[in-house]
Amino acid sequence: MSSEKNLIENVSEKQTEYINLIAEIMEVRKRGEKPLAYIRTYGCQQNVADSEKIKGMLANAGFGFVDAPDDADFILFNTCAVREHAEDRVFGNVGALKNLKRRHPQILIALCGCMMEQEHIANIIYKSFPFVGLVFGTHSLHHFPELVYNSLVNGKRVFERGNDDSKLYEGLPIKRDGTFKGWLPIMYGCNNFCTYCIVPYVRGRERSREKDLIVEEARDMIKNGYKDITLLGQNVNSYGKTIENGVNFSQLLREIDSIDGDYWLRFMTSHPKDCSMELIDTIANGTHISRHLHLPFQSGSDRILKLMNRHYDRKKYLEIINYAKEKIDGLSLTSDIIVGFPGETYDDFKETLSLIREVEFTSLFTFIYSPRVGTPAAKMDDPIPYSEKSKWFQELLAVQEEIAAKRCASMVGNVEKVLIEDEGKNGILNGRTSGNIIVELDAPTDTIGTFQNVKITNARNWILKGELI
Ligand code: SAH
Ligand code: SF4
Ligand code: F3S
């Protein structure tokens, strides 16, 4: 781990040259009136944020964007490696492009993101998917235009995997998907090496962005009408550790929070081992900071937490939670849980159940353990069959459903500030509370993108129903 300052490199100028060259080439290669790109993103918000940079670069090269691959000149899948299921979906969807490429050989098909940083995956793509022309990992995002240019002019397949974490790249254009809800990366990579997790291997070591650049970006977003801004990192609580004389996460949060405007500030993901009481106080005293804490605990069993290399125990986790509940009015808690870690017994699993009963989370992201090549857990003895783990998983869902229903029912009668987000089925609009709970309501579509006061009239499982006041 480096305690030294990361070298910041502004790549804007060099990559702009390549963007202009791509624009010239695509004038000739495009199939329709303008070059079109189809970008599909798998995985977490970090990948979504990376795709927004890719779209920024492509937009500057004159590309328009389409929702299906058929008419596209450039197709890119930004992939996720966190579980086997995510990888299988990518293989299936890439395979389906074979005929399209046969019909239109000039299309460039590219794969990027976390899966592509793994050697065994890159090899499979190389051998089994010869119609894929460009493959690059998360470390290569900063020179995406150069890679595309090389693929277009050389007519050869370009494969690149990287591992240089010494630099932090700035200056890439961003085309955000949302106009009022946006992601703002504050750091990259992860140093924690939880034994089940592939992320540190595919995203590299932790690097924090300079505070002033983050605050400036937040200020711009707020000025441009963003109402819901989420600060992103694999472990935001350790923000600043790689910066000499840097501020900590609570200080960063307070500085952004002091920007005037009508907006919510969120962040993810928090790691319990680095979650300070200062952070809880910062949320409690904040003006714009949402009353929501996503604090993954993964397992309620101390024995399993140790095997997972999580560096906290159940007692420490509950201390943070109880302090947060006491300090933050109307706090909404969410978490990630893994069921069936190697060696987990039904007794360990029952500890997870008892923890979710004790905390009463609003919602949970629950996963069955998936072995990842190269991680320590993949080499551990794993005697419990998947079918048994699935039964535990169903039990967990049933318990959580009951808790979520109770939590949501307790909100009926409240008046909540809600950000109206989009139109769902039957013209019903969907919004979210500060605690990130979905609210369905009947309201005019011109309220989309605005805050409204909503009376909660009903609750169905983890979804609230309400009406405009
Ligand atoms: N950095 C975040 C989460 C990153 S991955 C954190 O530490 O909380 C998101 C979630 O995927 C994790 O919290 C974990 O619950 C789950 N996950 C990661 N690796 C997994 C694996 N091998 N099998 C099943 N779930 C996994
Ligand atoms: Fe994975 Fe752990 Fe890092 Fe989260 S903190 S990304 S679970 S290694
Ligand atoms: Fe997946 Fe990479 Fe995120 S592995 S969960 S897209 S950091």
Side-chain angles (χ1 to χ4, degrees), residues 42-44 46-47 79-82 114 198-199 202-203 234:
Y42 300 80
C44 68
Q46 195 69 65
N47 257 16
T79 63
C80 168
V82 83
C114 295
I198 195 71
V199 171
V202 295
R203 289 230 165 233
Q234 293 300 343

Side-chain angles (χ1 to χ4, degrees), residues 272-275 312-321:
K273 91 179 159 71
D274 298 305
C275 185
Y312 56 86
D313 57 14
R314 183 186 174 98
K315 184 163 161 274
K316 157 126 199 245
Y317 186 80
L318 285 171
E319 262 168 34
I320 304 169
I321 294 291

Side-chain angles (χ1 to χ4, degrees), residues 26 128 132 149 166 180 190 206 215 232 278 306 311 323 329 350 353-354 388 403 411 442 459 469:
M26 290 313 299
S128 309
V132 173
Y149 172 78
S166 62
F180 55 87
C190 179
E206 187 178 292
V215 175
L232 286 184
E278 184 191 3
K306 234 193 175 87
H311 294 284
Y323 185 74
D329 276 346
K350 278 201 294 198
L353 286 185
S354 85
E388 183 66 15
I403 295 167
M411 293 176 75
D442 201 356
I469 304 194

Side-chain angles (χ1 to χ4, degrees), residues 35 37 101 115 179 192 211 213 332 365 367 387 390 399 462:
K101 174 75 179 177
M115 260 174 98
T179 52
N192 293 314
K211 182 202 69 172
L213 288 173
S332 163
F365 299 88
F367 310 103
S387 56
S390 299
V399 170
W462 55 88

Side-chain angles (χ1 to χ4, degrees), residues 4 28 35 75 135 139 163 178 207 251 270 358 363 401 437:
E4 285 155 33
V28 184
I75 297 173
V135 167
H139 287 83
N163 56 12
R207 283 96 74 202
Q251 289 166 302
S270 288
E358 186 165 345
S363 62
E401 205 162 297
I437 305 175

Side-chain angles (χ1 to χ4, degrees), residues 147-296:
L147 292 170
V148 172
Y149 172 78
N150 289 342
S151 311
L152 291 173
V153 294
N154 292 343
K156 284 202 193 110
R157 303 175 79 195
V158 173
F159 277 63
E160 185 176 279
R161 285 189 306 119
N163 56 12
D164 181 5
D165 297 325
S166 62
K167 284 192 193 151
L168 208 140
Y169 300 97
E170 296 286 354
L172 295 175
I174 304 174
K175 185 179 183 297
R176 291 198 157 86
D177 293 336
T179 52
F180 55 87
K181 232 179 124 129
W183 314 109
L184 173 41
I186 63 167
M187 60 207 292
Y188 306 103
C190 179
N191 282 348
N192 293 314
F193 290 95
C194 303
T195 52
Y196 50 81
C197 186
I198 195 71
V199 171
Y201 304 88
V202 295
R203 289 230 165 233
R205 295 297 64 72
E206 187 178 292
R207 283 96 74 202
S208 293
R209 292 180 70 197
E210 289 285 319
K211 182 202 69 172
D212 290 349
L213 288 173
I214 299 170
V215 175
E216 210 33 57
E217 198 170 326
R219 204 183 297 283
D220 267 358
M221 289 175 80
I222 294 162
K223 203 172 71 195
N224 289 320
Y226 281 86
K227 299 267 185 294
D228 187 317
I229 298 171
T230 304
L231 309 180
L232 286 184
Q234 293 300 343
N235 174 7
V236 291
N237 303 124
S238 72
Y239 171 80
K241 284 189 183 166
T242 56
I243 304 180
E244 236 175 89
N245 306 320
V247 301
N248 70 21
F249 181 58
S250 300
Q251 289 166 302
L252 173 72
L253 209 49
R254 288 198 291 271
E255 185 153 341
I256 301 176
D257 187 37
S258 71
I259 302 171
D260 284 338
D262 194 13
Y263 63 93
W264 278 337
L265 192 55
R266 301 181 187 279
F267 53 89
M268 68 188 302
T269 297
S270 288
H271 193 306
K273 91 179 159 71
D274 298 305
C275 185
S276 62
M277 299 308 175
E278 184 191 3
L279 174 64
I280 307 294
D281 292 336
T282 301
I283 303 172
N285 300 326
T287 310
H288 307 96
I289 306 171
S290 69
R291 324 230 117 216
H292 173 207
L293 185 60
H294 178 63
L295 195 62

